[in-house]
Amino acid sequence: MLYEKEKQMHLHKLQTYDEMSAAAAQIFSKQITEKPDGVLGLATGTTPIGLYDRLAEMNDSGKLDFSKIRTVNLDEYCGLQPDHEQSYRFFMEKYLFSRVNIPKGNTNLPNGAAQDYDAECKRYDELIERLGGVDLQLLGIGNNGHIGFNEPADFFSGGTQRVKLTESTIQANARLFADASEVPDYALTMGIKTIMLARKIILLANGGKREIVERALYGPITSQVPASILQVHQNLEVVICEEN
Ligand code: PGA
């Protein structure tokens, strides 16, 4: 029998990482075809790399056009220049932007190298508003239930803000740095409210995230598991696979 919650969300349970990436690419492809000048909310991390590979292939073969698409990313580390190899700007250029026909000026991330973080958060919120909000927001999930860099907290956050990363996030992300001490302690992240205002959300997670996905989607809604708020989003696609 289906859980009540599964009736509200669209759940795609796949076996392999490739199948998960292909299913997510179909959702993106439909969105881009239906609204070629739409706003995509993008995410970094190892989970969406297969999806980005497919979007690049579809663009290459002429099936998808990114020339009018606008993008806003979820987050960026504080203190890293955009050309730093571990910055999320660098990641996005490498895995998606340089591989599709999107004008660089249409791509946006919070500026982690900003002098004034409060002003930068305000700029980012105003930018998202000026773009008309996010049509399709991609999310991964942290082992602690974070979405973007919204870590477990006493309340759900609002707009873009500077956050201190938890030790578990620093340890999880250390694999991409020379060692954990090089992982920045702070990041700028789109807030939960902005994420929830996206007209459609796609949550992507592989088998290694099974336990936290289960807690987020079927457990109590609590800011201690930030992704649990997704249970009340009206247009949520969950794309998961068994493979790690
Ligand atoms: P991952 O990160 O895709 O590298 O597992 C997801 C996240 O922390 O949001």
Side-chain angles (χ1 to χ4, degrees), residues 152-156 223-224:
D154 292 339
F155 50 86
F156 289 110
S223 54
Q224 294 301 332

Side-chain angles (χ1 to χ4, degrees), residues 66 83 116 167:
F66 283 78
D83 60 354
D116 180 343
E167 195 48 39

Side-chain angles (χ1 to χ4, degrees), residues 116-147:
D116 180 343
Y117 289 128
D118 287 344
E120 174 57 14
C121 291
K122 190 161 174 277
R123 179 197 72 83
Y124 206 64
D125 284 339
E126 286 171 357
L127 168 80
I128 295 169
E129 214 176 303
R130 222 172 35 249
L131 291 173
V134 176
D135 290 303
L136 174 61
Q137 177 67 56
L138 173 66
L139 297 176
I141 183 170
N143 282 313
N144 61 4
H146 75 203
I147 46 179

Side-chain angles (χ1 to χ4, degrees), residues 25-34 36 40 51 54-67 69 100-101:
Q26 278 315 312
I27 294 169
F28 268 80
S29 166
K30 186 165 181 285
Q31 172 68 38
I32 295 168
T33 305
E34 283 174 7
L40 304 179
L51 159 66
R54 276 172 177 71
L55 294 180
E57 280 162 21
M58 288 170 160
N59 183 243
D60 209 36
S61 62
K63 289 193 195 121
L64 269 189
D65 177 22
F66 283 78
S67 63
I69 286 293
V100 297
N101 67 330

Side-chain angles (χ1 to χ4, degrees), residues 44-48 140-143 146-148 173 175 209:
T44 51
T46 39
T47 313
I141 183 170
N143 282 313
H146 75 203
I147 46 179
N173 291 4
R175 70 191 193 279
K209 302 279 175 59

Side-chain angles (χ1 to χ4, degrees), residues 76-84 86-88 110-115 117 162 177 182-188:
E76 179 60 282
Y77 287 117
C78 286
L80 298 191
Q81 294 296 329
D83 60 354
H84 188 288
Q86 266 74 39
S87 77
Y88 285 171
N111 178 12
Q115 293 297 314
Y117 289 128
R162 178 171 171 264
F177 288 78
E182 287 190 16
V183 183
D185 290 331
Y186 289 88
L188 301 181

